[in-house]
C-alpha cells in the first residue's frame, strides 16, 4: 500500500534518481523499480512528480538549480527511508546550444548550477549517509560522450560534463578505501527530450542574429533543434541501453569505473587514443 503522495513503507535497497520527468531518468526509475529497488524518482516540476506518482513511482520535487529544494528533497528522501540510501543516480541536466562567443557569463553560470553544482551538493549529502552505513553505497554520474569529446556549439554542456568527469575521478580516489563506489555512465545519442528541453535556454540566452554565427544558427542549428518529426540520429539507442548499464553499475559485485553507451562513445574513446589532435578535430567538425 502506498501513501497519498506515493510513499512506500517498505525496507529494501534504496535509489535516489534526479531528472526523472523523461528520457534516461524516467526509464531508469521504472526499470530499477521493476527489479525490486525502492526508487525515489525526483523531478524539477511538481506536475511531473504528480504524473510519475500516477505511473506508480514514488516521486517528489528536487530542483538541482535551487539549494533550498535540494536540501528539502534530500531531507524528504531520508525521512521516507529512515535515513538509508544505497545508491544515488545523478542524472538531471540540460543542454544549451550556442557558440562560445555568444554565451553570456550568466548563462554559463546557470547551466553549471544545475549540471554540476547541484550534483555536488546532492553528492555531499549522500556521502554523509553512505559513510555511516556498513554496506557503503554507490554514486553513479550520468556523464556523456561529450564528457571527454568536444563538439562545436555545445560548449556549455560539454564544459559541465568535462568538469564532472574530473570530479568523479578525484572522488573515486578519495573513496578508494571506503565501501562507496563512484561510477560514470557515458552515453552517446540516446532517445530523450534533451533537444526539446534545450530550446528554452537557447531562446533565453542566445542571440540568433549574432553577426558571426546568426546564419549558421538559422540555416543549420535551428532546423535540427526544432525538428519534431521523431527522426532518430544515426546510432541512436533507446534509454533502455543506459538503464542496462546502470543496472550493472548498481548490482554488480565488481562494477566498472566507466560504462560506455552507444557506438559513438566507443568510437570516440578509441579515436581519441589513436589519432593526433588535428586529425581528430577534423573528424569532429563533421559532427
Amino acid at each position: 500500500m502506498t501513501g497519498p503522495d506515493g510513499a512506500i513503507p517498505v525496507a529494501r535497497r534504496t535509489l535516489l534518481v534526479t531528472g526523472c520527468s523523461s528520457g534516461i531518468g524516467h526509464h531508469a526509475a521504472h526499470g530499477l523499480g521493476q527489479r525490486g529497488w525502492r526508487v525515489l524518482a525526483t523531478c524539477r516540476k511538481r506536475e511531473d512528480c504528480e504524473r510519475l506518482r500516477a505511473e506508480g513511482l514514488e516521486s517528489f520535487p528536487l530542483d538541482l538549480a535551487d539549494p533550498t529544494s535540494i536540501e528539502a528533497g534530500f531531507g524528504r528522501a531520508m525521512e521516507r527511508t529512515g535515513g538509508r540510501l544505497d545508491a544515488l543516480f545523478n542524472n538531471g541536466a540540460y543542454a544549451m546550444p550556442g557558440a562560445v562567443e555568444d554565451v553570456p557569463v550568466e548563462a554559463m553560470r546557470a547551466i553549471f548550477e544545475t549540471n554540476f553544482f547541484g550534483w555536488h551538493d546532492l553528492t555531499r549529502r549522500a556521502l554523509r549517509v553512505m559513510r555511516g552505513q556498513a554496506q557503503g553505497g554507490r554514486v553513479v554520474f550520468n556523464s556523456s560522450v561529450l564528457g571527454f569529446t568536444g563538439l562545436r556549439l555545445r560548449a556549455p554542456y560539454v564544459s559541465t560534463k568535462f568538469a564532472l568527469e574530473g570530479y568523479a575521478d578525484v572522488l573515486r580516489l578519495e573513496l578508494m578505501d571506503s565501501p562507496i563506489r563512484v561510477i560514470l555512465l557515458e552515453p552517446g545519442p540516446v532517445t530523450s527530450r534533451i533537444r526539446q528541453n534545450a530550446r528554452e535556454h537557447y531562446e533565453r540566452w542566445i542571440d540568433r542574429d549574432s553577426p558571426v554565427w546568426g546564419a549558421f544558427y538559422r540555416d543549420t542549428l535551428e532546423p535540427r533543434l526544432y525538428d519534431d518529426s521523431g527522426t532518430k540520429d544515426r546510432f541512436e539507442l533507446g534509454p533502455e541501453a543506459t538503464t542496462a548499464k546502470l543496472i550493472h553499475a548498481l548490482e554488480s559485485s565488481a562494477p566498472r569505473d566507466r560504462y560506455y553507451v552507444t557506438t559513438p562513445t566507443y568510437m570516440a574513446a578509441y579515436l581519441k587514443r589513436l589519432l593526433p589532435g588535428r586529425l581528430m578535430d577534423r573528424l569532429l567538425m563533421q559532427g
Side-chain angles (χ1 to χ4, degrees):
M1 178 180 295
T2 64
D5 59 355
I8 305 173
V10 295
R12 59 183 191 270
R13 287 183 300 178
T14 59
L15 167 65
L16 177 62
V17 186
T18 62
C20 293
S21 62
S22 62
I24 290 172
H26 184 266
H27 192 279
H30 279 287
L32 272 297
Q34 291 166 6
R35 294 181 66 83
W37 284 77
R38 180 177 182 179
V39 179
L40 306 174
T42 69
C43 304
R44 179 171 60 92
K45 297 179 180 178
R46 291 185 178 276
E47 55 266 34
D48 287 327
C49 295
E50 292 172 1
R51 172 172 54 84
L52 265 57
R53 289 197 291 270
E55 296 173 6
L57 291 170
E58 189 173 0
S59 183
F60 48 89
L62 195 157
D63 183 349
L64 289 164
D66 182 352
T68 300
S69 177
I70 294 172
E71 180 178 13
F74 189 78
R76 197 168 185 179
M78 293 302 94
E79 288 174 5
R80 289 170 177 239
T81 66
R84 174 176 174 173
L85 184 64
D86 296 287
L88 168 64
F89 182 34
N90 282 302
N91 170 70
Y94 69 85
M96 182 181 63
V100 169
E101 58 198 294
D102 292 336
V103 177
V105 174
E106 293 82 359
M108 191 67 84
R109 288 196 179 106
I111 196 170
F112 264 87
E113 195 66 48
T114 293
N115 291 16
F116 185 79
F117 295 123
W119 291 30
H120 172 58
D121 188 346
L122 192 57
T123 297
R124 291 182 68 230
R125 296 174 189 276
L127 291 177
R128 294 188 192 110
V129 173
M130 292 177 181
R131 280 195 178 276
Q133 301 174 159
Q135 76 274 18
R138 299 197 179 179
V139 180
V140 182
F141 297 99
N142 193 27
S143 182
S144 170
V145 61
L146 298 181
F148 60 86
T149 306
L151 289 178
R152 61 180 178 166
L153 302 184
R154 294 168 174 84
Y157 185 78
V158 166
S159 298
T160 63
K161 294 302 184 182
F162 264 68
L164 175 66
E165 294 263 334
Y167 175 93
D169 284 344
V170 172
L171 184 59
R172 187 179 65 253
L173 294 174
E174 293 176 352
L175 296 173
M176 192 167 291
D177 294 330
S178 80
I180 303 171
R181 297 300 302 269
V182 177
I183 301 153
L184 284 160
L185 302 185
E186 295 169 326
V190 169
T191 304
S192 72
R193 289 189 56 80
I194 192 167
R195 187 181 303 165
Q196 291 89 332
N197 293 339
R199 295 170 186 170
E200 64 175 285
H201 306 287
Y202 171 73
E203 292 166 1
R204 177 183 180 187
W205 295 110
I206 304 301
D207 177 11
R208 69 187 303 268
D209 296 319
S210 161
V212 176
W213 289 94
F216 188 89
Y217 293 156
R218 292 188 293 273
D219 298 340
T220 303
L221 172 64
E222 291 180 9
R224 185 169 185 268
L225 181 63
Y226 292 96
D227 179 8
D228 287 325
S229 66
T231 302
K232 289 189 175 184
D233 291 336
R234 188 182 182 190
F235 300 116
E236 181 176 321
L237 298 179
E240 64 276 4
T242 304
T243 298
K245 298 296 179 76
L246 176 62
I247 289 169
H248 192 276
L250 294 178
E251 297 183 359
S252 172
S253 59
R256 304 168 199 158
D257 296 333
R258 279 176 167 77
Y259 290 84
Y260 295 160
V261 188
T262 74
T263 297
T265 306
Y266 283 96
M267 291 174 60
Y270 175 74
L271 291 174
K272 278 186 72 80
R273 291 193 299 267
L274 179 68
L275 299 180
R278 289 289 180 89
L279 182 54
M280 187 68 182
D281 285 349
R282 292 194 188 100
L283 287 176
L284 292 174
M285 281 294 291
Q286 302 173 22

